[in-house]
Amino acid sequence: MKITALAGGVGGAKLAHGLSLVLPPEDLTIIVNTGDDFEHLGLFISPDLDTVCYTLGGLANPETGWGRMNESWNAFANIERLGGPAWFRLGDSDLATHLERTRRLKEGKSLSQITREFCGAWGIKPAVLPMTDSPVRTMVDTEQGELAFQEYFVHRRCEPRVKGFRFDGVEAAEPAPGVKEALDSTDVVILCPSNPWVSIDPILRVIKQLEKPVIAISPIIGGEAVKGPAAKMYQELGIEPSALAVAKHYRTILKGFVLDNIDKKYAEQVEAMRIKARVTDTLMKNAEDRARLAQDVLHFAGSL
């Protein structure tokens, strides 16, 4: 079975890793959100791409889920000492990624080409594709005005109340090389347990249309996001945060929906929307959990 997974952030990276543990690499393509990419200290930073790649390559910090394991902070400490912007933390190994990405971009290489080269260097076998090589920037409409995503997410720690989202540049953006081919040849599209508003929606806006069966895994368990501000965003937009709210968010494209045992009460309502429901343990605490959930999702996909 060929699988194309749409991912962003730590939750998406974890399931992508689980899928890579149970699928042959030629049967898995991961399309990653680039709406939260930005420039900082003169460097081009792709947070979701890096989180997915570090996780697949066994390089991610196991405590945070983002950044590199066994990281050092010498460069950052000296930037801070010199009075530079200290709100976005970059470890030394992570900094090398951004330096080299920026150098290659200035040479004229595309983000998708650079990502492919980095994956080769890190020993990552499945195809990892940015959603687009064009600049798309997630803008968060808040009660304090419109903020670039990293300004909202990291600098202001998700504190401003959210009113909506805009994806600057999305109308002109074309899918990156390999994205259309992966979607044409896939058997199932999996929406990883990533933030629907700011991780998956930008990818869907770039892709524009999905022709194959789609399964989503809820990033909200028991009314709370496992990580990140998804539940807070739902609440501030006037929607009760729940697995059911996530199913409704994607209802026009879903054939199947995976929700946690804690939320099994919503399964009947999900199926009332003509979406098949699968109830299982969706919390991923370690690699074994990731592989188990991936296997559950693949079995579910095969039954649809």
Side-chain angles (χ1 to χ4, degrees):
M1 181 185 297
K2 286 189 175 296
I3 297 296
T4 299
L6 311 190
V10 175
K14 287 180 177 180
L15 184 60
H17 180 229
L19 290 166
S20 77
L21 295 175
V22 299
L23 282 170
E26 63 271 16
D27 289 345
L28 176 61
T29 299
I30 303 149
I31 301 171
V32 184
N33 168 52
T34 58
D36 60 355
D37 289 10
F38 77 124
E39 289 189 31
H40 184 62
L41 298 171
L43 302 176
F44 188 90
I45 301 175
S46 296
D48 279 2
L49 266 178
D50 293 338
T51 295
V52 169
C53 288
Y54 291 162
T55 303
L56 289 170
L59 304 170
N61 183 332
E63 299 300 321
T64 62
W66 53 267
R68 297 282 293 262
M69 67 166 60
N70 303 319
E71 187 62 280
S72 58
W73 302 92
N74 297 307
F76 179 85
N78 281 282
I79 289 169
E80 189 173 20
R81 186 174 298 117
L82 292 169
W87 60 269
F88 194 89
R89 291 175 60 81
L90 297 171
D92 297 331
S93 296
D94 192 31
L95 187 61
T97 298
H98 311 314
L99 284 164
E100 185 59 13
R101 177 188 291 117
T102 302
R103 185 186 71 81
R104 297 189 195 194
L105 285 168
K106 288 182 176 179
E107 284 184 344
K109 290 186 176 181
S110 66
L111 181 60
S112 56
Q113 183 179 359
I114 296 166
T115 302
R116 184 167 61 251
E117 292 168 353
F118 283 6
C119 285
W122 290 326
I124 298 168
K125 301 302 182 184
V128 180
L129 308 174
M131 66 185 191
T132 181
D133 283 333
S134 303
V136 173
R137 298 294 175 260
T138 297
M139 305 299 294
V140 185
D141 184 17
T142 77
E143 291 189 343
Q144 297 179 18
E146 189 174 65
L147 303 173
F149 181 74
Q150 296 300 338
E151 173 68 21
Y152 162 80
F153 183 62
V154 180
H155 199 183
R156 306 205 191 186
R157 302 179 182 181
C158 305
E159 291 173 359
R161 189 175 182 84
V162 168
K163 297 166 61 179
F165 307 95
R166 181 174 66 87
F167 306 115
D168 188 36
V170 75
E171 300 303 331
E174 292 292 329
V179 168
K180 288 183 177 178
E181 292 82 357
L183 293 170
D184 286 344
S185 63
T186 199
D187 294 304
V188 176
V189 175
I190 293 175
L191 309 185
C192 290
S194 305
N195 188 311
W197 300 102
V198 296
S199 291
I200 301 299
D201 278 359
I203 307 175
L204 294 175
R205 288 286 300 277
V206 169
I207 292 171
K208 294 181 174 63
Q209 191 171 0
L210 289 171
E211 304 290 345
K212 300 299 177 70
V214 179
I215 294 173
I217 297 87
S218 177
I220 294 181
I221 300 175
E224 300 289 339
V226 177
K227 196 172 184 67
K232 178 179 182 290
M233 289 174 173
Y234 272 103
Q235 190 86 48
E236 291 171 354
L237 291 168
I239 305 167
E240 182 181 355
S242 68
L244 181 62
V246 177
K248 289 179 177 178
H249 189 99
Y250 297 132
R251 67 184 300 169
T252 60
I253 60 172
L254 287 188
K255 187 168 184 180
F257 186 68
V258 180
L259 59 167
D260 192 81
N261 291 316
I262 291 173
D263 296 313
K264 63 183 179 181
K265 62 184 179 182
Y266 295 121
E268 188 174 338
Q269 290 170 269
V270 170
E271 298 213 325
M273 294 188 286
R274 298 185 179 181
I275 301 167
K276 292 291 184 181
R278 167 78 172 184
V279 178
T280 187
D281 181 3
T282 63
L283 191 61
M284 295 175 284
K285 297 179 181 178
N286 50 44
E288 291 74 19
D289 287 344
R290 298 172 191 180
R292 174 195 46 75
L293 179 58
Q295 200 68 263
D296 277 354
V297 172
L298 293 177
H299 288 153
F300 181 43
S303 72
L304 295 178

